Amino acid sequence: SDLQTLSGKAPIGIASVAKAKNIPIILISGFIASDSILALSTHFDLLVSVTDDSVSQQESIENAEHYLGIRTKETMFKLLQK
């Protein structure tokens, strides 16, 4: 995700509706551009990127379903532990 995410793509539309109803919203993305984190953080309560020190951007693209599933599971587990 990058600054284009804020330009009418589905995630920002969903975030706008959720914010209006005071529903927390998480953005789980294959990649989150570092220069967009601040702007995205104003619309999403939590930003989660598939890519990290162990998963490259290319690897996350080639195995998107696998890595999105892992990050989603990890994120929900952390949230439920709070």
Side-chain angles (χ1 to χ4, degrees):
S1 296
D2 55 24
L3 293 175
Q4 289 184 1
T5 302
L6 302 175
S7 300
K9 291 187 175 182
I12 195 65
I14 294 166
S16 296
V17 171
K19 287 282 186 187
K21 297 181 180 210
N22 292 321
I23 298 170
I25 185 117
I26 302 166
L27 175 66
I28 300 177
S29 179
F31 173 76
I32 299 175
S34 60
D35 64 343
S36 64
I37 292 173
L38 183 61
L40 290 170
S41 293
T42 63
H43 300 277
F44 298 92
D45 297 293
L46 180 62
L47 304 175
V48 178
S49 177
V50 168
T51 58
D52 62 12
D53 293 337
S54 65
V55 180
S56 69
Q57 187 174 357
Q58 185 61 37
E59 192 175 355
S60 75
I61 291 168
E62 292 172 0
N63 300 292
E65 182 179 352
H66 173 73
Y67 288 114
L68 283 170
I70 288 171
R71 289 295 183 260
T72 300
K73 184 178 177 180
E74 289 172 351
T75 302
M76 296 310 297
F77 182 77
K78 287 177 187 176
L79 290 173
L80 293 172
Q81 295 301 310
K82 290 184 177 183

